[in-house]
Amino acid sequence: LGPEGTLLIPAYNFDLESKDGDRLTSTDVLKRENLGFPEILKITYEDVDYSYDVEWSEVNAADEYFIKLLDKNASIVFTSATIEKGSTAFTLIQDELGTWEKEIVVGSNYLLQVFAVAYDGDADATATVGSISSPPFNMQEISFSETEFIWDEQ
């Protein structure tokens, strides 16, 4: 807290100089979105395609979501592609919709994590990968919830 109980907002000040002597000064004020947590509501097995349907509560300030699945050693088994704002469900299936690092072992315990992400809406859209704008360079806040479950295919 600052003078008279005011809240101090953290900021980063950047002062850059190129080899040619050009200078760039920039300030980035860190704002807190109070993102909230995506509460995992339900994990349901679907025997038609051997998948799990995952449902969570919507986080109003979230710009997108993603899911991770970890094994008992906390090693990443699966990471989903980004899931668009407003979505509150995802089908966890062994052959698509993200990156599988390991095979599922039926009957094993897994830790399911659902992440909510908010990006800095005030950031310049200059962060790119090649010619594509990349919002993750301007991540403002992230939250997640997790729960354990057994991949039992029953």
Side-chain angles (χ1 to χ4, degrees), residues 40-109:
I40 300 168
L41 302 173
K42 192 187 314 183
I43 303 173
T44 308
Y45 179 70
E46 297 293 335
D47 59 2
V48 172
D49 57 3
Y50 308 106
S51 67
Y52 277 92
D53 291 335
V54 180
E55 296 178 30
W56 61 88
S57 60
E58 184 173 4
V59 177
N60 291 330
D63 292 314
E64 64 186 18
Y65 302 92
F66 68 94
I67 290 177
K68 284 189 179 184
L69 187 65
L70 300 121
D71 65 15
K72 65 181 178 184
N73 298 317
S75 296
I76 296 173
V77 174
F78 172 79
T79 304
S80 74
T82 56
I83 303 164
E84 66 185 29
K85 177 180 187 164
S87 295
T88 58
F90 181 83
T91 299
L92 190 59
I93 189 166
Q94 291 189 52
D95 60 354
E96 56 186 78
L97 305 173
T99 303
W100 288 92
E101 303 291 334
K102 295 181 174 186
E103 291 286 323
I104 290 293
V105 177
V106 175
S108 293
N109 289 326

Side-chain angles (χ1 to χ4, degrees), residues 30-36 38 59-66 82-83 85 115-123 135-144:
L30 299 178
K31 291 184 267 177
R32 194 168 155 189
E33 299 291 333
N34 292 320
L35 188 56
V59 177
N60 291 330
D63 292 314
E64 64 186 18
Y65 302 92
F66 68 94
T82 56
I83 303 164
K85 177 180 187 164
F115 291 80
V117 180
Y119 295 110
D120 184 354
D122 297 330
F137 287 125
N138 294 310
M139 191 178 290
Q140 182 72 24
E141 197 169 332
I142 188 167
S143 67
F144 73 97

